[in-house]
Amino acid sequence: MSIAVITPAVAISAPFTRRQGRELLFCLAGLPFAVLSPVVLVVGAVDLSWYATRGGRGSVSPADVAVAVAGVGLLAVLLVSTGAARRLGSLQRGIATRLLGVRIPGPRDGGGWRVMAYQLVKLPIGLLEAYAVFFWVGGLVNLSYPLVWGGFRNHPPGAELSPLPVYTPFGLFGEGTFRVATLPGTFAAAAAGAAMLLAAPWVTRAVTAADVRLIRGLLGPGRLAQRVHDLELSRALAVDDSAARLRRLERDLHDGAQIHLATLALHLGMAREKLGDRGEVPDAAAARELVDAALRGAKDALAELRNLARGIHPPVLDNGLADALASLAADRAIPVELDVSIPVRPTPAIESIAYFCAAELMANAAKHSSAGRLAVRAAGRRDVLLLSVADDGTGGADPARGTGLSGLAQRVAVVDGRLTIDSPPGGPTRIAVELPLRA
Amino acid sequence: MTLRVVIAEDAALFRAGLTRLIEDHGHRVCAAVGDGDALLAAVAEHRPDVVVADIRMPPTHTDEGLRAALEIRRRCPGTGVLMLSQYIETRYTVRLLEGNAAGAGYLLKERVADVAEFLGALQRVAAGGTALDPEVVGHLLRAGRRADSLAALTAREREVLTLMAEGRSNAGIADALVVTGGTVEKHVASIFDKLGLPPDEGDNRRVLAVLRHLGGRVT
């Protein structure tokens, strides 16, 4: 949620932005749904019953109310059980998405009764929305009073004119808030109109925001269901991630250390043969050469295994993230400005994820963005760890291209973390990773 | 006898070492390639006596070597195929032998360190014999599906059984155990008797018989 800073320029230009138009449309579009509120329906049904039984004479009897409540209850059951309620909910979510751009996933199953609950609160919120619409319409009308006066009330001097009522949010009905009888008076109306128009965007925004909250709460998947869904998703990611890592590990072993060792055995076997069985060595030069090759193979295999082990768990991480990041930074060819302040040590799993994110992001920056320098920051804030890697390179990092960034995002999501990419074409790039301190 | 060999192995270092090893012993390596398709092409071109191929090669890194080998066995039945791999899969053994153990072999890569043994296996496969890794046999023995009948064998007979399953001839078994050919024949007859196998019908047929008996599900 962003915090709007209101400057005079913003306040004056606010009514004319696209967003305002869309929010106003949203308020208007919501009005018909308010009519479908169970309260409205019950009142309507009571009247109907009253007319049907007594032709609208006398007072409403408790029987009318009982019939109405039962009828509306039956209707609600019908709407919920046929799935119509769900469709009603998805229609309203769709309107919010189209007009406000808020994407709210639907409930996974059921949710019909929650739609009915939304319809119940839609009446008061719908009235507030109508109130917001009035700010616009009433504001425009009031603003036009001097023109109206000039156009229709140019009677000869001395003519008695009945005063015009002016409606403002403080007096909506009947006589209005005040009345004007003279041309200068209409300027007071115009000023009230201008003030209403200036206030209108903020009223609309507040009402819209409240409605969106209700939609999210009642027409969305529900907090618990959403949480379950998120957890299912992150568990699937964790399972996939660990399976993929094991597969990669096997592949690295197979194509790396194992084949180096097999080649080493091959060379040693051949050397053994060249050395002969006893006494004289038949082909010492060849034997020496083969032993040299074997030695090289052993070193390669060791290097391979060391890299592999480091890729599984870098030993320097045992001393904490600060040391590990410093050693990562020292390994880089380009200068790295490092700023680490982590007062509370995260759990090992989080440290490991943060480390591998930093390693991958730093490698990416060096590889793809032709950056001249890097800035790496890691900060512990209450219960989150914020890690960011920024470079002065060419930008344009896109998780859709290549699996590096999306893989990282997945790994971060496993522990409910977040990865944000800010990398406009032309640069600079700043990628931030937010992780909980414990997982 | 000089063998004409085609090698397929994706790890360049190992491929070079293998080429050298084979050429050092008087054989000719006609081609050394890095994947299954190139292997098929090289075999079509050179018509080698024997192929030495890695099972896992690009592009999928699963079993392209084995698939190429089966294709070679189908197209040019006279060509021996010796598979090398970093691990032994019983399923791959089954697919490779599929009813005919002649001119087929499956060894762990590290067996090349014992140069004489490896060359022996290569020659055996080229000549239409069989060479199975002791690990294959060991795996089946450990699985213990026939523990009851195997329990009847003496320790010596178990050794002979293992060597037999590896595809060795009686002479080869005699060499390995440093005994006479007659002694081996006696052991073999005793094993066949105790396990209730059909009479000995030559080295390749008996590999299948023994594997089948051990539960290797070789058809």
Side-chain angles (χ1 to χ4, degrees):
Chain A
M1 177 109 14
S2 62
I3 298 154
V5 180
I6 305 170
T7 62
V10 170
I12 291 168
S13 63
F16 309 106
T17 60
R18 262 177 102 84
R19 176 170 169 190
Q20 279 321 308
R22 288 170 170 273
E23 284 175 353
L24 179 60
L25 270 179
F26 176 79
C27 286
L28 281 168
L31 293 181
F33 293 102
V35 178
L36 281 177
S37 167
V39 175
V40 176
L41 293 178
V42 166
V43 170
V46 167
D47 281 353
L48 211 65
S49 159
W50 178 45
Y51 271 105
T53 52
R54 258 159 295 120
R57 277 183 298 277
S59 59
V60 173
S61 72
D64 292 326
V65 177
V67 166
V69 168
V72 171
L74 201 67
L75 179 69
V77 169
L78 215 66
L79 285 175
V80 170
S81 61
T82 56
R86 262 174 81 83
R87 278 195 289 281
L88 185 65
S90 91
L91 181 64
Q92 294 181 88
R93 276 199 315 275
I95 290 173
T97 307
R98 271 200 84 129
L99 292 177
L100 304 177
V102 245
R103 257 166 226 297
I104 300 161
R108 301 233 276 168
D109 38 38
W113 286 110
R114 290 176 50 235
V115 174
M116 298 317 292
Y118 175 75
Q119 289 308 129
L120 199 62
V121 294
K122 182 70 186 177
L123 181 62
I125 198 85
L127 289 176
L128 285 175
E129 280 166 351
Y131 189 61
V133 172
F134 167 75
F135 267 75
W136 294 94
V137 179
L140 278 176
V141 168
N142 290 347
L143 199 59
S144 69
Y145 266 34
L147 289 175
V148 173
W149 195 275
F152 301 102
R153 296 234 161 177
N154 46 356
H155 296 276
E160 266 299 306
L161 295 174
S162 58
L164 275 178
V166 176
Y167 300 101
T168 73
F170 305 105
L172 285 175
F173 306 103
E175 296 291 282
T177 315
F178 59 93
R179 301 202 290 172
V180 291
T182 57
L183 183 61
T186 61
F187 287 107
M196 280 165 74
L197 281 181
L198 281 180
W202 311 108
V203 176
T204 324
R205 185 160 303 174
V207 173
T208 308
D211 200 351
V212 167
R213 277 184 83 99
L214 287 174
I215 291 179
R216 214 184 279 283
L218 291 170
L219 301 184
R223 207 181 302 169
L224 196 60
Q226 182 65 46
R227 185 75 191 131
V228 168
H229 177 70
D230 288 351
L231 284 176
E232 274 174 359
L233 214 64
S234 75
R235 189 190 62 168
L237 285 179
V239 170
D240 286 354
D241 183 56
S242 80
R245 265 191 287 171
L246 285 177
R247 204 159 45 234
R248 203 162 50 236
L249 190 62
E250 190 277 338
R251 178 78 185 275
D252 287 347
L253 275 172
H254 181 272
D255 294 348
Q258 264 187 309
I259 194 72
H260 278 306
L261 287 172
T263 313
L264 163 67
L266 172 76
H267 284 140
L268 281 179
M270 285 159 76
R272 175 71 189 76
E273 216 190 13
K274 304 284 182 201
L275 287 172
D277 281 336
R278 62 179 73 82
E280 266 312 277
V281 175
D283 194 349
R288 214 170 287 129
E289 187 214 323
L290 285 163
V291 169
D292 279 346
L295 213 54
R296 275 199 304 277
K299 285 178 186 161
D300 287 351
L302 276 173
E304 195 83 47
L305 284 172
R306 190 166 47 241
N307 280 339
L308 211 56
R310 242 168 76 132
I312 297 168
H313 175 78
V316 65
L317 204 47
D318 292 339
N319 301 338
L321 203 48
D323 274 15
L325 289 178
S327 110
L328 263 185
D331 287 349
R332 288 285 121 208
I334 50 175
V336 179
E337 182 195 316
L338 190 65
D339 177 6
V340 182
S341 86
I342 307 168
V344 182
R345 200 170 163 176
T347 54
I350 295 298
E351 284 190 331
S352 167
I353 293 174
Y355 174 86
F356 284 110
C357 281
E360 175 98 16
L361 292 174
M362 286 161 85
N364 274 353
K367 226 187 312 177
H368 302 303
S369 81
S370 52
R373 52 185 309 111
L374 278 173
V376 177
R377 273 180 187 44
R381 296 272 153 74
R382 270 186 301 177
D383 45 3
V384 287
L385 175 66
L386 300 168
L387 171 80
S388 74
V389 175
D391 67 55
D392 59 354
T394 53
D398 184 359
R401 291 191 332 230
T403 54
L405 279 178
S406 60
L408 277 191
Q410 255 183 34
R411 228 169 147 181
V412 168
V414 164
V415 290
D416 272 349
R418 230 180 359 180
L419 182 129
T420 8
I421 299 163
D422 176 19
S423 181
T429 299
R430 184 173 179 282
I431 296 178
V433 177
E434 200 177 302
L435 294 166
L437 280 186
R438 27 204 84 254
Chain B
M1 190 183 90
T2 301
L3 294 176
R4 299 174 67 256
V5 186
V6 166
I7 296 174
E9 160 67 58
D10 60 323
L13 266 178
F14 193 76
R15 186 169 65 223
L18 208 54
T19 307
R20 176 163 176 196
L21 172 83
I22 291 171
E23 291 196 324
D24 269 5
H25 290 83
H27 304 299
R28 200 160 85 74
V29 174
C30 309
V33 299
D35 64 68
D37 290 341
L39 171 60
L40 288 176
V43 167
E45 188 187 339
H46 299 289
R47 296 274 160 187
D49 299 311
V50 62
V51 164
V52 179
D54 187 4
I55 288 188
R56 195 163 136 175
M57 284 191 291
T60 65
H61 294 276
T62 51
D63 62 348
E64 28 281 291
L66 180 66
R67 276 187 275 127
L70 293 176
E71 189 67 28
I72 292 165
R73 266 161 86 67
R74 200 173 57 75
R75 282 195 212 161
C76 336
T79 310
V81 293
L82 176 58
M83 307 309 297
L84 288 183
S85 179
Q86 287 181 20
Y87 49 88
I88 292 290
E89 279 284 352
T90 311
R91 191 168 54 87
Y92 288 169
T93 319
V94 172
R95 276 173 67 191
L96 181 67
L97 299 184
E98 217 132 52
N100 176 17
Y106 184 8
L107 296 179
L108 279 176
K109 273 189 184 164
E110 66 235 43
R111 304 291 175 210
V112 295
D114 194 335
V115 176
E117 279 279 320
F118 173 69
L119 288 168
L122 186 68
Q123 265 153 347
R124 211 154 73 225
V125 170
T130 311
L132 285 188
D133 200 278
E135 190 66 20
V136 177
V137 184
H139 190 80
L140 291 174
L141 285 178
R142 274 196 303 278
R145 257 173 283 194
R146 289 300 179 96
D148 45 340
S149 62
L150 292 176
L153 302 183
T154 64
R156 196 55 153 182
E157 282 167 351
R158 274 166 170 270
E159 280 180 289
V160 173
L161 178 76
T162 305
L163 292 169
M164 222 158 53
E166 284 171 22
R168 291 177 204 250
S169 63
N170 284 358
I173 296 173
D175 277 354
L177 296 179
V178 206
V179 293
T180 64
T183 316
V184 172
E185 270 169 43
K186 248 185 280 166
H187 283 312
V188 170
S190 164
I191 292 167
F192 272 64
D193 185 43
K194 285 181 182 173
L195 301 186
L197 293 177
D200 188 358
E201 295 175 277
D203 304 338
N204 298 328
R205 304 280 292 269
R206 79 182 185 187
V207 169
L208 289 186
V210 170
L211 290 182
R212 205 176 297 132
H213 179 78
L214 293 177
R217 300 221 285 202
V218 187
T219 47

